[in-house]
Short mmCIF file of all heavy atoms in Angstrom, two decimals:
data_model
loop_
_atom_site.label_atom_id
_atom_site.label_comp_id
_atom_site.label_asym_id
_atom_site.label_seq_id
_atom_site.Cartn_x
_atom_site.Cartn_y
_atom_site.Cartn_z
N SER A 94 2.64 -6.82 9.18
CA SER A 94 2.57 -5.82 10.27
C SER A 94 2.56 -6.57 11.61
O SER A 94 2.27 -7.76 11.71
CB SER A 94 1.36 -4.93 10.16
OG SER A 94 0.18 -5.64 10.55
N ALA A 95 2.85 -5.79 12.64
CA ALA A 95 2.82 -6.27 14.01
C ALA A 95 1.90 -5.34 14.82
O ALA A 95 2.31 -4.83 15.83
CB ALA A 95 4.21 -6.33 14.61
N SER A 96 0.70 -5.16 14.34
CA SER A 96 -0.25 -4.24 14.95
C SER A 96 0.32 -2.83 14.89
O SER A 96 0.69 -2.23 15.90
CB SER A 96 -0.50 -4.61 16.41
OG SER A 96 -1.51 -3.77 16.93
N GLY A 97 0.37 -2.29 13.70
CA GLY A 97 0.89 -0.97 13.46
C GLY A 97 1.04 -0.78 11.96
O GLY A 97 0.30 -1.39 11.22
N PRO A 98 1.96 0.01 11.52
CA PRO A 98 2.12 0.24 10.07
C PRO A 98 2.43 -1.05 9.37
O PRO A 98 3.07 -1.99 9.91
CB PRO A 98 3.36 1.17 10.02
CG PRO A 98 3.40 1.82 11.32
CD PRO A 98 2.92 0.82 12.33
N GLN A 99 1.99 -1.13 8.07
CA GLN A 99 2.30 -2.27 7.30
C GLN A 99 3.57 -2.03 6.48
O GLN A 99 3.82 -0.91 6.03
CB GLN A 99 1.12 -2.57 6.35
CG GLN A 99 -0.12 -3.03 7.14
CD GLN A 99 -1.26 -3.35 6.24
OE1 GLN A 99 -1.10 -3.67 5.03
NE2 GLN A 99 -2.47 -3.34 6.78
N TYR A 100 4.31 -3.11 6.24
CA TYR A 100 5.56 -3.03 5.49
C TYR A 100 5.42 -3.92 4.27
O TYR A 100 5.00 -5.09 4.37
CB TYR A 100 6.72 -3.46 6.38
CG TYR A 100 6.93 -2.56 7.53
CD1 TYR A 100 6.28 -2.75 8.72
CD2 TYR A 100 7.75 -1.44 7.41
CE1 TYR A 100 6.42 -1.85 9.81
CE2 TYR A 100 7.93 -0.55 8.46
CZ TYR A 100 7.24 -0.78 9.63
OH TYR A 100 7.38 0.11 10.69
N PHE A 101 5.76 -3.36 3.09
CA PHE A 101 5.48 -4.01 1.83
C PHE A 101 6.67 -4.65 1.18
O PHE A 101 7.81 -4.17 1.29
CB PHE A 101 4.86 -2.96 0.88
CG PHE A 101 3.48 -2.56 1.28
CD1 PHE A 101 3.24 -1.65 2.27
CD2 PHE A 101 2.36 -3.09 0.61
CE1 PHE A 101 1.97 -1.29 2.67
CE2 PHE A 101 1.12 -2.74 0.99
CZ PHE A 101 0.87 -1.85 1.99
N GLY A 102 6.35 -5.75 0.43
CA GLY A 102 7.38 -6.36 -0.41
C GLY A 102 7.51 -5.55 -1.68
O GLY A 102 6.79 -4.58 -1.91
N PRO A 103 8.39 -5.97 -2.58
CA PRO A 103 8.66 -5.25 -3.83
C PRO A 103 7.62 -5.42 -4.91
O PRO A 103 7.64 -4.69 -5.90
CB PRO A 103 10.02 -5.80 -4.26
CG PRO A 103 10.03 -7.17 -3.71
CD PRO A 103 9.29 -7.12 -2.42
N GLY A 104 6.74 -6.40 -4.75
CA GLY A 104 5.66 -6.59 -5.69
C GLY A 104 5.98 -7.64 -6.73
O GLY A 104 7.14 -7.97 -7.02
N THR A 105 4.88 -8.26 -7.28
CA THR A 105 4.97 -9.19 -8.39
C THR A 105 4.10 -8.65 -9.48
O THR A 105 2.92 -8.43 -9.30
CB THR A 105 4.46 -10.60 -7.96
OG1 THR A 105 5.32 -11.14 -6.99
CG2 THR A 105 4.42 -11.52 -9.18
N ARG A 106 4.71 -8.49 -10.63
CA ARG A 106 3.94 -7.99 -11.80
C ARG A 106 3.46 -9.18 -12.58
O ARG A 106 4.24 -9.97 -13.09
CB ARG A 106 4.79 -7.08 -12.67
CG ARG A 106 4.00 -6.36 -13.76
CD ARG A 106 4.82 -5.29 -14.43
NE ARG A 106 5.22 -4.20 -13.52
CZ ARG A 106 4.42 -3.21 -13.23
NH1 ARG A 106 3.18 -3.14 -13.68
NH2 ARG A 106 4.84 -2.29 -12.36
N LEU A 107 2.13 -9.36 -12.67
CA LEU A 107 1.51 -10.51 -13.30
C LEU A 107 0.77 -10.08 -14.56
O LEU A 107 -0.04 -9.16 -14.53
CB LEU A 107 0.56 -11.20 -12.33
CG LEU A 107 -0.25 -12.37 -12.93
CD1 LEU A 107 0.69 -13.53 -13.30
CD2 LEU A 107 -1.31 -12.86 -11.95
N LEU A 108 1.03 -10.76 -15.65
CA LEU A 108 0.29 -10.57 -16.90
C LEU A 108 -0.36 -11.88 -17.32
O LEU A 108 0.32 -12.91 -17.41
CB LEU A 108 1.31 -10.12 -17.98
CG LEU A 108 0.74 -9.99 -19.42
CD1 LEU A 108 -0.36 -8.96 -19.47
CD2 LEU A 108 1.87 -9.66 -20.40
#
Side-chain angles (χ1 to χ4, degrees):
Chain A
S94 75
S96 186
Q99 293 182 22
Y100 295 89
F101 288 79
T105 294
R106 189 169 296 279
L107 176 64
L108 174 61

